[in-house]
Amino acid sequence: AITAGEAKNRVCILDKLSAMAAAAAPAAVTVYESSVASTIKVKKSQEATKQLLKLKKIPFQAVDVSVDSKAKEYMAANSKAKDPTTLPQIFVNGVYRGLWEELEMANEDGKTADFVKP
């Protein structure tokens, strides 16, 4: 049998391990972007996407398709955008969700969490 103090200590350790595992887990949300974006509009959209996700405390991974050709191929092959090379693109668990404009509309409707839900 364990004491109440030992049980509390074990729960505390488990909580810490869970938090560490969550922090180490890859983000479900991926933002495909380019560090050499060709237009001001694309640059602003990329920054706005990342700022909104940070503001909403939604973990994400930014992938620079200008230096990662496999990521660029994956994005284009799995995109449902009219132009599959449009940036930034948002994927959740590898599935296309939309562009900045769609994330922005979801946010305005109070549905950002639904937009990025796995």
Side-chain angles (χ1 to χ4, degrees):
I2 62 171
T3 67
E6 289 172 325
K8 185 177 180 182
N9 191 31
R10 288 182 184 182
V11 169
C12 184
I13 291 170
L14 288 173
D15 287 345
K16 287 180 183 176
L17 289 173
S18 293
M20 288 169 55
V29 178
T30 303
V31 177
Y32 289 94
E33 62 177 0
S34 174
S35 59
V36 292
S38 59
T39 69
I40 298 286
K41 181 183 180 211
V42 170
K43 288 178 185 178
K44 286 183 177 181
S45 295
Q46 290 177 161
E47 285 307 309
T49 298
K50 294 185 290 185
Q51 287 300 325
L52 177 59
L53 293 172
K54 287 177 188 174
L55 179 69
K56 296 291 184 174
K57 296 182 172 45
I58 297 168
F60 67 94
Q61 173 185 10
V63 176
D64 186 349
V65 297
S66 70
V67 296
D68 188 338
S69 60
K70 288 188 182 204
K72 184 177 184 175
E73 290 171 17
Y74 179 86
M75 177 196 75
N78 293 282
S79 177
K80 300 212 180 343
K82 286 182 184 178
D83 176 356
T85 62
T86 301
L87 294 172
Q89 291 193 31
I90 302 138
F91 281 64
V92 178
N93 287 340
V95 178
Y96 175 81
R97 282 299 166 88
L99 304 171
W100 157 245
E101 293 80 7
E102 292 151 315
L103 175 61
E104 183 180 34
M105 285 187 342
N107 183 58
E108 288 175 6
D109 292 341
K111 297 182 178 179
T112 308
D114 291 336
F115 185 86
V116 297
K117 189 183 294 182

